[in-house]
DNA sequence: AAAAGCGTATTAGTATTCTTAGTACATTAT
DNA sequence: ATAATGTACTAAGAATACTAATACGCTTTT
């Protein structure tokens, strides 16, 4: 598989965050499936011309987010979503971030209904390829 | 009007962000109405026992977000939402943040529909007090 | 005109974050 | 064994972020 990750030096986001986001999105869209192996730390670092530590940090974040499982000596693999044990803290974090987003949307003059509709539309763009579902023909 | 803003030293968020968020939320919930004057930079700083520059920074952020209008020498006032000219950049920013949120939700194992429902529910908690609308009895 | 109240600008110091570098270690695969 | 994997640790430098101190200019009030 070709390398889809690419970092933007001009971005305001740290390199390791860029990696985390791109992999997270790929998993959400099921472009990376359960059990898929991520590039080796040193290999990805070489391709991106960055320090291996930076890639390792990204992988650490992904593991703490329960998105991947690492087996030392073997590699880093996409976790099985069925094993996600989302606790209250996860949901609370999500709710908080939603509120911040809603606040911003309302302050931009959008109506609550429009905001919710926009969110649902964007969700559908993901769900088309979501885990356990298939796009309807 | 009493002072509703309170900062938490133990928070992971910078002081000026805490101020921005609390005022933003107050505006979204219409607890602060159009034309309302915010506390003077020095006054609020004195009450919070922080540097006036920190408050000023918060106000600057709020102004760039078009949430308030500042008139040097006079004060800082809540903007008229009808004058919001939300441009493409605003919407794009919002959409991006939505996508990040959706990604996180899906990766937590939530289904698209559940995510959208959760968002809609939380939106309604705001809309009850939203600008131009009244809570139905 | 003076005084008081307001936001702004500039500068600086401190703390934190990010990235790199180098080395070493433990585990797994070949 | 050898190679490949993730991990741990220390160190260092650079960049960024945050807060503070001070001075300035505009507006309102007196």
């Amino acid at each position: 598989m070709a390398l889809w990750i690419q970092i933007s030096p001009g971005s305001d986001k740290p390199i390791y965050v860029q990696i985390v986001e791109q992999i997270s999105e790929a998993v959400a869209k099921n472009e990376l499936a359960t059990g898929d192996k991520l590039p080796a730390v040193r290999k990805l670092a070489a391709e991106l011309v960055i320090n291996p530590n930076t890639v390792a940090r990204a992988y650490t974040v992904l593991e703490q987010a329960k998105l991947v499982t690492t087996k030392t000596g073997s590699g880093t693999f996409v976790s099985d979503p069925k094993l996600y044990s989302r606790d209250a803290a996860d949901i609370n974090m999500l709710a908080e971030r939603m509120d911040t987003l809603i606040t911003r949307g309302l302050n931009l003059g959008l109506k609550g209904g429009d905001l919710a509709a926009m969110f649902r539309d964007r969700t559908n763009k993901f769900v088309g390829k979501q885990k356990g579902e298939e796009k309807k023909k």
Side-chain angles (χ1 to χ4, degrees), chain A:
Chain A
M1 164 170 27
L3 184 57
W4 14 264
I5 295 178
Q6 63 176 31
I7 60 181
S8 305
S11 172
D12 55 333
K13 295 175 182 172
I15 297 174
Y16 81 96
V17 170
Q18 295 183 44
I19 297 173
V20 167
E21 288 186 347
Q22 290 183 43
I23 293 181
S24 296
E25 203 164 323
V27 172
K29 292 182 176 176
N30 211 28
E31 293 165 6
L32 278 178
T34 301
D36 279 358
K37 184 179 180 179
L38 296 187
V41 165
R42 291 171 181 78
K43 189 182 173 192
L44 182 53
E47 299 197 36
L48 298 179
V49 196
I50 59 178
N51 195 285
N53 288 335
T54 304
V55 177
R57 177 168 186 183
Y59 283 11
T60 299
V61 173
L62 288 169
E63 193 188 20
Q64 291 173 339
K66 304 174 194 168
L67 224 70
V68 301
T69 307
T70 67
K71 293 181 181 176
T72 302
S74 173
T76 304
F77 306 88
V78 176
S79 302
D80 185 345
K82 297 171 187 171
L83 299 182
Y84 290 159
S85 61
R86 37 174 204 281
D87 50 23
D90 291 329
I91 301 301
N92 283 343
M93 175 79 70
L94 202 66
E96 239 181 64
R97 290 172 60 181
M98 275 191 182
D99 287 352
T100 304
L101 197 56
I102 293 167
T103 294
R104 180 63 186 146
L106 293 179
N107 283 338
L108 278 176
L110 295 174
K111 295 177 183 176
D114 295 338
L115 256 183
M118 182 177 170
F119 188 90
R120 177 172 37 75
D121 288 347
R122 300 201 76 83
T123 302
N124 286 335
K125 290 186 179 177
F126 284 77
V127 174
K129 298 179 179 178
Q130 193 188 356
K131 313 177 184 71
E133 300 189 12
E134 281 306 322
K135 189 171 187 176
K136 299 169 187 173
K137 299 181 183 177

